Amino acid sequence: MKKYGKLLALLAALAVLIGGAAFAYSRLREKVKAPDALGQIKEQEEESGGENGSSRQEASDFTFQDASGENVKLSDFYGKPTVINFWATWCGYCKEEMPDFQAAYERYGDEVNFIILNATGSQGETREKGAAYLEEQGYTFPAYYDEAGMGSYMYSVYSLPSTILIDKEGKIAAYHRGLITGEALEQALGQLLEE
């Protein structure tokens, strides 16, 4: 009988802990508004009183590798809008959204930088696996590799896919965790190009 009493007390304490955490999360979430929906770039600026990114946070610069293994920096791409998409071959949603990134690259490749950034090192991901997958599928957008994991660290990428839009001035316009639709990507790129 004592065992069951202790078990019930433990379960009750756990329920209170989980309830408290859920409450705290919902309260904090209301206070912290991160740009997490690609299709809402202008709405967020209007709410904050900014215009064309004046209220946006500077993008954190980091180094990653291109397909030939050369180091490049995010800041090398400033001057026109940039899309960073974190992905891996083991990620089903990443593979599902790849055709939409290819279509966007074909349409906007001259006006927008595309950094399709493989999360090399995550769960056994390798440069070779990433490159082989892109070649097998016939994707032509530029391939990059986050071998040191700096991009994932700097942008708190804890789930794949994750997509970040950066305006031409090097400021974060939007951040989206999870699968993004081609329509949402298209809308967000259109808004950034209007700035």
Side-chain angles (χ1 to χ4, degrees), residues 6-193:
K6 287 181 180 179
L7 181 61
L8 286 175
L10 183 61
L11 288 175
L14 184 60
V16 169
L17 181 65
I18 291 172
F23 177 76
Y25 174 78
S26 66
R27 299 284 292 180
L28 286 172
R29 187 171 181 209
E30 291 172 9
K31 291 182 180 182
V32 178
K33 275 197 155 185
D36 62 354
L38 291 179
Q40 299 176 354
I41 294 171
K42 286 188 177 177
E43 291 173 17
Q44 290 172 352
E45 289 171 4
E46 290 168 5
E47 287 175 9
S48 64
E51 187 175 315
N52 290 337
S54 62
S55 64
R56 294 178 180 162
Q57 180 180 359
E58 291 287 328
S60 297
D61 202 9
F62 67 99
T63 301
F64 48 98
Q65 292 74 39
D66 64 16
S68 64
E70 296 295 317
N71 285 340
V72 291
K73 289 184 176 183
L74 177 60
S75 57
D76 296 339
F77 294 86
Y78 296 170
K80 61 183 179 178
T82 300
V83 177
I84 306 172
N85 177 256
F86 291 87
W87 74 284
T89 58
W90 49 261
C91 169
Y93 288 128
C94 298
K95 292 178 179 181
E96 190 175 329
E97 69 182 10
M98 285 275 175
D100 293 326
F101 280 97
Q102 178 65 36
Y105 172 70
E106 289 172 6
R107 181 168 181 188
Y108 299 109
D110 293 334
E111 303 169 82
V112 175
N113 297 310
F114 284 81
I115 301 174
I116 309 302
L117 191 60
N118 182 261
T120 312
S122 67
Q123 298 187 22
E125 185 74 356
T126 65
R127 172 190 288 265
E128 293 76 23
K129 285 181 186 178
Y133 177 77
L134 295 177
E135 185 177 345
E136 175 186 295
Q137 299 299 313
Y139 294 126
T140 59
F141 45 67
Y144 297 97
Y145 301 90
D146 191 18
E147 294 202 17
M150 286 307 299
S152 296
Y153 174 76
M154 298 293 283
Y155 288 93
S156 301
V157 175
Y158 57 82
S159 65
L160 297 178
S162 287
T163 303
I164 302 168
L165 257 65
I166 298 174
D167 66 20
K168 63 186 175 187
E169 296 173 0
K171 295 181 180 179
I172 299 172
Y175 191 129
H176 183 82
R177 285 185 171 94
L179 176 71
I180 183 168
T181 66
E183 181 181 324
L185 180 61
E186 182 84 17
Q187 180 183 5
L189 290 175
Q191 289 176 1
L192 272 182
L193 288 169

